[in-house]
Amino acid sequence: MAANTNNTPVAGCNNADVLRERGQHEVFCGLTGIVWLHRKMQDAFFLVVGSRTCAHLIQSAAGVMIFAEPRFATAILDERDLAGLADCNDELDRVVDEVLERRPNISTMFLVGSCPSEVIKLDLGNAADRLSERYAGRVRILNYSGSGIETTFTQGEDNCLKAMVPVLPATPAKQLLICGTLPDVVEDQFRRLFTAMGIEDVAFMPSRRADTPPGVGPSTLILLAQPFLGATARALIGRGAKLLDAPYPFGAEGTTAWLWAAAVEFGVSAERFEAVVEGPRARARKALTPMREALAGLTVTFLPDSQLEVPLARFLHAECGMHALEVGTPYLDRQILAGELDALPAGVRLSEGQHVDRQLDRVYADRPDLTVCGLGLANPLDARGLRTKWSIELVFSPVHGYEQAGDLAELFVRPLARSDRLAV
Amino acid sequence: MKLSLWTYEGPPHVGAMRIATAMRDVHFVLHAPQGDTYADLLFTMIERRDRRPPVTYTTFQARDLGADTANLVTRTLAEAAERYKPQVLLAGESCTAELIQDQPGALAEGMDLGCAVIPLELPAYSKKENWGAAETFYKMIRGLLAAQAPEPGTPMREMPTDRRPKANVLGPCALAFRSRDDIIEIERLLTLIGVDVHLIAPEGASPHDLLTIPEADFNICLYPEVAKTACS
Ligand code: SF4
């Protein structure tokens, strides 16, 4: 990866100055990832050990997406738990028993750390070991931090997947391991493409069932589907796997480059690759044509939120003809974004961290045609005549791969079209 | 420790946000980690307000702990007072900040912020959202009107005979169910029985408006969950 960074063409903005800001952040914490992780892993339960705030956050972020019997809950700390850690551990065991008694179909439980549990130094790693012993053979108990003092929004998924790495079975097989939560239909599409190229051994992480996780070993090649899994990738590398250098599978060209990064490693010939991707790529390009007409020449600013900002700015620039004014991201992980940063044009204002008041001042001065931002900021920006896209939709909607390329672009077209209609 | 699958009420600082957001010229500095900013969306998305709630979060991180979180609080207070120039600045903390005991209220009182400061104590591990709203409204009224409070034992003022009686309608606030419709209805009913509305608060009121509360003849406690503490 490092080699790639050093070979950066001067035109890219990989080496450009980054505006680093420290002030109020306006982002979710890593607990939010539970909303999509619990839907993906159908036998996993997420128990947040935190406060009423944590419970309220997940509920607010999940909004209407909550199922009748959600597989997450919060163990809310009260004054007595703060008074003594010994009792607090007993209480936690009692709550875990209560959950597992009610939910016999759970194979894996994640104890999810929060700001309060971390500040009082409640050792959830220890608790997970203790409880794993008690439930040996029935439920595996793992632990990770989703706290707002350690993680932003999508980093929760990174920590969750990283927590699973040590328990993945070892495998010597040469296999492709695709990391990042994808909707099942998107997973199936990718699997079909790889199968058609002759790559049979393809695994996904997280898998649909937590009790049948993928294996990992020295012949495992990691292909990241999401640009926020740096810690997971590094943990997998620690188990011998190799990280493939690729952009992210957004848009017709992004998806092609991503697939190709894997194809090369498996010795797929250029001809065979072409034959497989030709059809779906043509469909994606066709779907993008009207979107490009609507978006070309318009300006866009990303406020820091999901970590998808850099790859999506690249997609909107390269495949939709938009001009990115500012691309803000909660943190820049250069190792896993190297390819993407190269593809951003020079002159884009790249910012890391946040001082929300100052950043909004810049948005008001820039007046981009479209601002991609969190839910707390969208309506106030709309009220000032700016058009917005909620970044959380980009995390919750199927946006990866060829078949979704048009839908992805359409997510950005929609707010523009709506305000055109309002203007008439 | 209590297992919660669903919570109907948020934490007490969200109650304080509801008061600050309902009012004009009030700003709230909340000592809290970044994830707590989710609460903004309750007002901008669910209630569809067209402005951000008047809240600045310190958004401290793990690496700030033990180093300079108190500094972060004073810096945030100074910046917020300078940028938003409120009549009243509320200073409080969320569940996590309560544990690190920087006491933003006391810090704010010790600074020269150019506005009235009202410190809030919002015990996150024992109280909930409605309590936080009621407490904040009460603290605000007490803080602003302490000087005008009648001596204990002062007899109630007589109802006027030379003009229509005036009432304060207390309790309508942000994120309250149907409160806008209720206000219209109660104003209509009061007019019918010959009573004028002097002030509605906290919704739409500024701290200056709260100073005129004693000019009315009586208070209507429209939503006890928000206004009962203040009315009693
Ligand atoms: S920021 Fe911390 S306290 Fe707030 S919801 Fe997230 S984990 Fe809980």
Side-chain angles (χ1 to χ4, degrees):
Chain A
M1 300 313 101
N4 185 322
T5 318
N6 294 337
N7 294 337
T8 302
V10 215
C13 76
N14 211 346
N15 292 327
D17 286 342
V18 176
L19 179 61
R20 289 210 171 71
E21 294 214 283
R22 180 66 185 102
Q24 181 189 316
H25 295 189
E26 181 90 17
V27 293
F28 289 130
C29 60
L31 296 184
T32 322
I34 292 172
V35 178
W36 63 88
L37 287 165
H38 93 279
R39 299 187 70 172
K40 181 71 192 181
M41 289 183 266
Q42 287 161 18
D43 53 344
F45 193 98
F46 294 79
L47 182 66
V48 176
V49 183
S51 65
R52 179 170 300 282
T53 317
C54 307
H56 200 227
L57 158 96
I58 304 178
Q59 231 168 273
S60 307
V64 290
M65 301 186 49
I66 302 220
F67 294 158
E69 187 89 10
R71 273 175 289 98
F72 60 81
T74 308
I76 298 184
L77 296 161
D78 60 29
E79 280 174 319
R80 268 177 315 146
D81 301 308
L82 302 180
L85 280 180
D87 298 345
C88 193
N89 277 309
D90 291 345
E91 281 290 285
L92 178 58
D93 293 5
R94 183 184 58 73
V95 170
V96 168
D97 291 346
E98 190 181 335
V99 172
L100 292 178
E101 204 161 293
R102 277 203 223 176
R103 312 297 293 273
N105 300 327
I106 298 305
S107 78
T108 302
M109 175 184 266
F110 291 95
L111 301 179
V112 189
S114 69
C115 306
S117 79
E118 283 167 16
V119 169
I120 65 169
K121 302 205 159 48
L122 180 60
D123 190 338
L124 293 181
N126 226 321
D129 291 345
R130 181 177 70 235
L131 287 158
S132 281
E133 252 170 56
R134 178 183 323 192
Y135 285 96
R138 202 193 124 194
V139 186
R140 173 173 271 156
I141 319 252
L142 297 172
N143 131 269
Y144 72 91
S145 167
S147 84
I149 54 177
E150 293 282 3
T151 62
T152 79
F153 198 11
T154 52
Q155 253 178 318
E157 174 171 345
D158 194 16
N159 278 356
C160 174
L161 301 192
K162 184 180 127 196
M164 296 168 73
V165 171
V167 301
L168 299 181
T171 171
K174 175 152 184 178
Q175 59 157 356
L176 182 64
L177 179 59
I178 297 175
C179 295
T181 303
L182 293 170
D184 292 352
V185 338
V186 178
E187 223 180 85
D188 294 341
Q189 291 165 6
F190 284 145
R191 190 184 289 282
R192 276 197 296 275
L193 289 171
F194 284 120
T195 308
M197 292 176 209
I199 307 175
E200 293 289 349
D201 217 342
V202 181
F204 291 85
M205 186 179 177
S207 47
R208 298 177 195 189
R209 289 193 57 89
D211 60 358
T212 45
V216 63
S219 303
T220 298
L221 299 170
I222 313 160
L223 188 57
L224 296 183
Q226 295 284 29
F228 43 74
L229 299 173
T232 303
R234 289 183 276 275
L236 289 166
I237 292 169
R239 291 203 51 187
K242 181 182 163 205
L243 176 62
L244 299 181
D245 199 355
Y248 292 86
F250 300 119
E253 316 312 320
T255 302
T256 305
W258 184 79
L259 294 167
W260 178 241
V264 178
E265 294 286 336
F266 283 85
V268 178
S269 70
E271 294 73 37
R272 182 159 190 192
F273 182 80
E274 255 319 292
V276 172
V277 304
E278 206 179 2
R281 187 181 55 206
R283 270 200 301 282
R285 284 180 179 159
K286 183 156 176 256
L288 282 170
T289 308
M291 305 299 160
R292 190 184 168 94
E293 267 162 35
L295 295 173
L298 299 181
T299 54
V300 60
T301 279
F302 283 85
L303 300 190
D305 202 52
S306 66
Q307 288 295 126
L308 290 168
E309 294 84 9
V310 172
L312 290 179
R314 178 267 301 161
F315 162 71
L316 289 176
H317 162 73
E319 301 195 34
C320 300
M322 290 188 89
H323 301 299
L325 299 177
E326 175 162 342
V327 179
T329 189
Y331 59 96
L332 261 184
D333 184 335
R334 289 184 177 272
Q335 181 177 12
I336 64 168
L337 283 177
E340 294 287 353
L341 287 166
D342 288 347
L344 276 187
V348 174
R349 193 191 305 133
L350 204 55
S351 65
E352 180 181 19
Q354 192 172 31
H355 185 302
V356 69
D357 288 316
R358 276 190 224 137
Q359 191 159 35
L360 291 176
D361 288 345
R362 293 199 296 277
V363 171
Y364 298 140
D366 290 345
R367 295 201 68 80
D369 294 305
L370 187 64
T371 306
V372 184
C373 63
L375 293 173
L377 299 174
N379 262 333
L381 287 170
D382 281 331
R384 296 221 186 184
L386 292 159
R387 290 168 291 189
T388 56
K389 176 81 248 157
W390 310 334
S391 47
I392 198 166
E393 271 191 86
L394 302 160
V395 180
F396 285 165
S397 318
V399 294
H400 296 74
Y402 289 130
E403 310 302 334
Q404 283 66 237
D407 300 344
L408 171 58
E410 214 231 326
L411 285 175
F412 299 98
V413 172
R414 223 180 290 151
L416 300 169
R418 191 182 57 215
S419 79
D420 277 352
R421 276 203 303 278
L422 292 178
V424 201
Chain B
M1 203 174 285
K2 200 172 166 306
L3 177 63
S4 158
L5 297 167
W6 190 260
T7 75
Y8 291 93
E9 268 189 78
H13 72 261
V14 170
M17 287 181 69
R18 289 171 54 191
I19 303 297
T21 304
M23 292 186 64
R24 291 179 290 119
D25 296 319
V26 172
H27 200 83
F28 183 17
V29 169
L30 183 66
H31 196 19
Q34 60 190 358
D36 290 2
T37 60
Y38 80 87
D40 285 359
L41 79 86
L42 303 172
F43 301 93
T44 62
M45 294 304 299
I46 296 176
E47 210 176 27
R48 302 200 69 76
R49 290 194 179 238
D50 62 3
R51 259 169 301 167
R52 291 168 62 208
V55 181
T56 301
Y57 306 74
T58 57
T59 61
F60 61 90
Q61 295 171 308
R63 61 163 181 263
D64 300 321
L65 293 178
D68 65 344
T69 47
N71 249 319
L72 180 62
V73 176
T74 49
R75 221 165 48 232
T76 310
L77 284 162
E79 260 191 56
E82 167 65 26
R83 180 178 275 263
Y84 294 101
K85 302 200 166 38
Q87 290 172 18
V88 164
L89 193 138
L90 301 170
E93 56 199 355
S94 75
C95 51
T96 311
E98 186 180 330
L99 299 170
I100 56 178
Q101 301 184 329
D102 284 323
Q103 303 192 315
L107 289 174
E109 282 182 308
M111 295 169 72
D112 182 11
L113 292 169
C115 62
V117 168
I118 296 182
L120 298 176
E121 267 179 51
L122 305 162
Y125 299 93
S126 53
K127 303 288 194 217
K128 298 186 205 171
E129 178 178 333
N130 281 333
W131 184 91
E135 172 72 7
T136 303
F137 191 43
Y138 163 72
K139 278 280 165 61
M140 181 100 85
I141 288 179
R142 210 187 66 159
L144 292 168
L145 292 173
Q148 297 186 45
E151 291 287 313
T154 313
M156 293 269 270
R157 204 161 61 197
E158 293 289 316
M159 276 293 171
T161 46
D162 54 340
R163 58 165 173 81
R164 284 156 64 101
K166 295 190 286 189
N168 298 313
V169 178
L170 303 182
C173 110
L175 275 186
F177 190 57
R178 293 183 56 84
S179 107
R180 280 172 212 182
D181 295 341
D182 289 349
I183 293 174
I184 296 170
E185 184 65 11
I186 199 91
E187 282 193 285
R188 195 181 63 82
L189 291 174
L190 287 173
T191 313
L192 278 179
I193 59 167
V195 173
D196 287 337
V197 171
H198 171 67
L199 174 71
I200 296 167
E203 186 67 59
S206 72
H208 279 314
D209 295 337
L210 294 189
L211 288 171
T212 71
I213 281 182
E215 290 170 20
D217 302 297
F218 63 99
N219 296 319
I220 295 172
C221 180
L222 191 58
Y223 301 102
E225 66 273 22
V226 173
K228 185 134 184 283
T229 320
C231 288
S232 358

